[in-house]
């Protein structure tokens, strides 16, 4: 166990994925940004429901060669590690039953914007996912109760995402595979 885990202070240099591995499995969502440990509050019921519904809907139409999952870590490098809300990976990578993916194994990363992570989900993560070469990124906006899915495709030369659509009724895209998804299908019921 590292010194950072034996006291209330972070490591003298920077947090690494080795430090993450040494932390207890306590259900906390921990991510790394250039050696800085990020801890997000627990997601809300609505956030988790959207992730579950989206994962199920994508999995229903997922062709061979791909796999859909939720909340699995993507290790970009020793000091960058993120946990997308939903992700599509290659089936080959999923067959390893990983607890962590490498960026080249991820085809689509999806983030559901929460009030406490707006800037991270809208600006930071897409920039770093694109830099890592993840081909597609979706951002789900939840403000005002109605969902909007914003889809992006990577411009691999410039390592940035280009917006490919803003969807409020249906997500109708051929990327990363043909998807025609009613937004109502991923909208949690109001209780």
């Amino acid at each position: 166990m590292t010194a950072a885990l034996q006291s209330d202070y972070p490591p003298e240099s920077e947090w690494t994925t080795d430090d993450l591995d040494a932390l207890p499995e306590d259900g906390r969502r921990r991510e790394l940004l250039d050696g800085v440990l990020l801890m997000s509050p627990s997601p809300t019921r609505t956030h988790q429901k959207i992730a579950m519904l989206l994962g199920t809907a994508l999995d229903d139409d997922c062709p061979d060669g791909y796999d859909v999952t939720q909340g699995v870590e993507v290790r970009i490098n020793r000091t960058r590690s993120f946990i997308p809300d939903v992700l599509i990976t290659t089936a080959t990578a999923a067959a390893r039953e990983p607890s962590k993916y490498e960026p080249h194994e991820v085809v689509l990363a999806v983030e559901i914007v929460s009030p406490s992570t707006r800037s991270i989900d809208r600006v930071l993560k897409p920039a770093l996912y694109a830099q890592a070469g993840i081909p597609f990124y979706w951002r789900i906006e939840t403000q005002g109760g109605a969902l909007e899915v914003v889809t992006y495709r990577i411009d691999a030369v410039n390592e940035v995402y280009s917006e490919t659509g803003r969807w409020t009724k249906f997500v109708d895209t051929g990327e990363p595979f043909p998807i025609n998804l009613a937004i109502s299908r991923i909208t949690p019921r109001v209780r």
Side-chain angles (χ1 to χ4, degrees):
M1 189 171 281
T2 67
L5 303 177
Q6 297 171 0
S7 73
D8 293 332
Y9 300 99
E12 287 185 22
S13 55
E14 60 190 8
W15 285 86
T16 68
T17 53
D18 292 337
D19 295 319
L20 284 183
D21 291 340
L23 291 170
E25 290 290 330
D26 58 7
R28 292 192 172 127
R29 188 180 195 110
R30 295 178 178 99
E31 298 175 300
L32 286 181
L33 172 61
D34 298 334
V36 175
L37 181 66
L38 304 176
M39 289 182 54
S40 302
S42 293
T44 64
R45 174 206 164 272
T46 299
H47 183 280
Q48 291 302 86
K49 188 76 172 191
I50 293 166
M52 180 183 73
L53 293 170
L54 177 62
T56 299
L58 289 173
D59 195 55
D60 286 348
D61 295 327
C62 186
D64 292 343
Y66 297 101
D67 185 70
V68 179
T69 192
Q70 291 180 236
V72 179
E73 183 180 350
V74 178
R75 290 247 167 122
I76 295 173
N77 60 38
R78 276 184 54 78
T79 61
R80 282 191 189 156
S81 177
F82 295 114
I83 304 172
D85 293 312
V86 176
L87 55 158
I88 296 176
T89 66
T90 65
T92 303
R96 298 189 288 109
E97 290 295 327
S99 61
K100 301 159 194 71
Y101 286 105
E102 293 186 30
H104 72 273
E105 299 173 313
V106 179
V107 179
L108 168 68
V110 180
E111 295 291 348
I112 301 163
V113 177
S114 297
S116 63
T117 61
R118 283 187 304 264
S119 295
I120 292 171
D121 296 336
R122 291 177 182 157
V123 180
L124 181 67
K125 283 187 177 181
L128 297 178
Y129 287 153
Q131 193 177 68
I134 296 172
F136 301 99
Y137 177 72
W138 289 10
R139 187 183 79 233
I140 300 179
E141 295 287 344
T142 61
Q143 282 184 313
L147 300 186
E148 178 183 52
V149 178
V150 186
T151 57
Y152 299 87
R153 175 188 320 113
I154 195 169
D155 169 349
V157 172
N158 295 308
E159 296 182 331
V160 296
Y161 287 119
S162 298
E163 186 176 310
T164 59
R166 288 182 175 261
W167 314 92
T168 57
K169 301 288 183 208
F170 289 90
V171 177
D172 188 8
T173 181
E175 301 170 326
F177 50 80
I179 298 169
N180 189 333
L181 172 66
I183 299 294
S184 61
R185 193 167 168 204
I186 64 170
T187 302
R189 292 183 296 195
V190 178
R191 301 246 175 219

